[in-house]
Amino acid sequence: MSLDKVLAISGKPGLYDLKLQTRTGFVAQSLVDGKKITIGLTSNVSLLSEISIYTNTGEVKLFEVFARIAKKEDNGQAISHKSENDELVNYFTEILPDYDTDRVYVSDIKKVLNWYNILNNAGLRFQFEEVNAEVKEEKKSSKKSAEAKEEEVVEKKKTTKKATKKEE
């Protein structure tokens, strides 16, 4: 199972693995009980790989948060999402100290911890380190492409100046 095919479906508890796309929707399998369900195109579905957590300095991908939890718990279970709110906030602050407390609610923290524990129970705990490495590599490549674009702009300016001088 690929982590980039893990879904959260609005109105349905738990997480689902995308199995098959059809003309009218898709088939997903629950990671909790293994049951397959069909979902129409009108359902509100989110890929976990597209979800980010707000921080004071930007956003952090959800799988990077999962990797931090896995590191803290030595790939074991996190605290229960049913714990007291203060305990959940303190735990999440240890994981992601600079999360935006105005935009990340306790309900969001509960979802993150619940989802982590579901994925951990499904046997995906060892892949979090790979995801963390992929996130770091993605950041490096985006930084390199930004530097390349900047060099391209500088080169265009030089070429434009030379062309302007020749015209004069």
Side-chain angles (χ1 to χ4, degrees), residues 143-156:
K143 184 179 179 182
K144 286 180 183 176
S145 66
E147 290 172 354
K149 285 180 184 177
E150 188 176 314
E151 287 177 15
E152 188 178 307
V153 169
V154 169
E155 193 62 37
K156 282 183 180 178

Side-chain angles (χ1 to χ4, degrees), residues 5-9 14-18 26-28 45-48:
K5 290 187 176 183
V6 177
L7 309 170
I9 303 170
L15 294 175
Y16 296 84
D17 182 29
L18 177 64
F26 54 90
V27 177
V45 177
S46 300
L47 283 168
L48 291 194

Side-chain angles (χ1 to χ4, degrees), residues 29-51:
Q29 184 175 11
S30 172
L31 293 179
V32 177
D33 59 14
K35 292 182 181 176
K36 289 185 179 179
I37 60 169
T38 55
I39 303 297
L41 293 175
T42 58
S43 296
N44 189 6
V45 177
S46 300
L47 283 168
L48 291 194
S49 60
E50 300 298 318
I51 298 175

Side-chain angles (χ1 to χ4, degrees), residues 46-164:
S46 300
L47 283 168
L48 291 194
S49 60
E50 300 298 318
I51 298 175
S52 296
I53 303 294
Y54 293 114
T55 65
N56 295 324
T57 57
E59 295 179 0
V60 174
K61 290 283 188 187
L62 182 61
F63 286 138
E64 190 173 334
V65 175
F66 287 164
R68 291 178 184 197
I69 295 171
K71 184 177 179 183
K72 177 181 175 21
E73 298 299 335
D74 196 27
N75 286 322
Q77 289 287 311
I79 64 171
S80 172
H81 65 283
K82 295 180 181 179
S83 299
E84 294 293 321
N85 289 353
D86 292 339
E87 187 178 354
L88 292 170
V89 169
N90 290 336
Y91 183 85
F92 203 73
T93 302
E94 288 178 37
I95 300 302
L96 195 63
D98 66 333
Y99 82 94
D100 189 341
T101 55
D102 294 332
R103 297 195 289 180
V104 178
Y105 303 107
V106 174
S107 61
D108 299 325
I109 295 171
K110 288 181 179 186
K111 279 184 198 174
V112 168
L113 294 173
N114 186 28
W115 290 346
Y116 171 82
N117 286 332
I118 289 171
L119 291 172
N120 193 294
N121 287 337
L124 296 174
R125 59 185 152 263
F126 301 110
Q127 295 181 12
F128 292 140
E129 292 169 1
E130 295 168 14
V131 168
N132 200 16
E134 287 173 15
V135 168
K136 287 180 181 176
E137 186 61 36
E138 188 177 294
K139 286 180 182 177
K140 284 181 185 177
S141 65
S142 66
K143 184 179 179 182
K144 286 180 183 176
S145 66
E147 290 172 354
K149 285 180 184 177
E150 188 176 314
E151 287 177 15
E152 188 178 307
V153 169
V154 169
E155 193 62 37
K156 282 183 180 178
K157 285 181 180 178
K158 288 179 182 177
T159 307
T160 306
K161 284 182 182 179
K162 287 179 183 177
T164 307

